[in-house]
Structures are given as C-alpha cells and as structure tokens.
Amino acid sequence: VAASWAARLERGREFDALTDAIDSSQQTVSFAVGQVASTRAYTMPLLVTSSSATVRAGLAKLIDQAAQQRVTDLQRQRQRVDTVFIVSWDTGQRRARSDYAAYLDARIAAMASLAAGNGAPTAEQADFAHLQDDAAESLRAAAPSRSGASRAATLFASPPP
C-alpha cells in the first residue's frame, strides 16, 4: 500500500513538472510568434514599397534577427521539456513529453527558417495544430487525476497562432 501511494505521489510530481515546463513553453511560443508577427507587420509596408534595396535588406534583417532571438528562447524551452524526469515505465507521460517535443521542434524549425531568411511556413504547412492536438490529447490521457487532466486541457485552451 505504501509503495502504491509513493508511486502515485511521484507520478503526480512528474506530471506537475511536465505541465509546468509545457506551460512555460506555450508562453514562450506565444511571445515568439507575436513578436515576429509584430516586427513583420511594422516593417512590411516599407519592405514592399521602398525603392531602396538597402532599406529592404535592412528591414528583412530586422525580421530575421527577431526570429533568431526567439529560436534561442524556444530551444531553451525544448531543453527544459527534455530534462523533466519521468520514470521509464510511465509510458503515458513519456509519450506526452515526446508529442509536445515534436510540436516544439516544428515551431523551432519554422522560426529558424524565418531567421535564415527563408520565410515562415504557414501553420498548415508546419501542421502546428495537429501536433499540438496530439500533445494535448496524450497529456490529458497521461494525467494522474481529474484535476491533472483539467490542467492539461487549460494548457492548450488558447493555442499560439
């Protein structure tokens, strides 16, 4: 009985650590996407209308730099998710972590593409929604309690654009 109680307690701690890491990551994704989008919106009128190649190149560089800064932030969050300890036999939480990591990897790749001056893939091309839905579902399924499942649902209630 004591071992079962201890295992449930540890599983709850692991779930809390994972949801904390995901919560922080979701905030970082939202900030990153928002900052790059606002930089693009701010520079776009002059970027498309300026007759000066130097001005256009400088404005494009601003967008690239904003994206590169956010790539670093997203990579830090990805590392944080990776370092959440989950016991080897808890396949549900391991799958939730893996599914969320796949979503973050897609976000990082899209931001890195933009930082390299290649433009950003659309949400449909990068399949963010599908990857995030997979992560949300596996996290809810891995929740050790109803309150954990509720918390998992709220983490994905307002997905980043």
Side-chain angles (χ1 to χ4, degrees), residues 112-158:
S113 175
L114 184 58
N118 299 326
T122 64
E124 293 78 26
Q125 290 169 325
D127 206 14
F128 297 137
H130 176 75
L131 291 168
Q132 186 169 310
D133 288 347
D134 287 350
E137 180 55 38
S138 59
L139 188 62
R140 277 191 300 272
S145 64
R146 285 185 198 174
S147 64
S150 178
R151 178 164 188 220
T154 62
L155 291 174
F156 298 101
S158 300

Side-chain angles (χ1 to χ4, degrees), residues 25-131:
S25 295
Q26 286 291 91
Q27 291 176 36
T28 301
V29 168
S30 291
F31 177 76
V33 170
Q35 185 183 42
V36 171
S38 67
T39 302
R40 286 176 64 105
Y42 179 75
T43 59
M44 199 53 70
L46 196 52
L47 186 65
V48 296
T49 61
S50 177
S51 59
S52 169
T54 304
V55 169
R56 286 192 312 273
L59 293 171
K61 183 111 177 116
L62 285 175
I63 297 168
D64 297 349
Q65 288 172 339
Q68 185 55 52
Q69 290 171 335
R70 300 298 67 95
V71 166
T72 303
D73 294 342
L74 292 170
Q75 288 170 332
R76 261 190 236 111
Q77 290 297 330
R78 173 64 164 86
Q79 187 175 25
R80 180 177 177 197
V81 169
D82 279 345
T83 60
V84 172
F85 176 78
I86 300 170
V87 294
S88 60
W89 58 85
D90 193 340
T91 56
Q93 287 192 48
R94 285 181 169 272
R95 177 178 175 153
R97 181 177 61 189
S98 176
D99 286 351
Y100 189 74
Y103 164 75
L104 273 182
D105 289 342
R107 284 290 188 174
I108 292 167
M111 195 66 66
S113 175
L114 184 58
N118 299 326
T122 64
E124 293 78 26
Q125 290 169 325
D127 206 14
F128 297 137
H130 176 75
L131 291 168

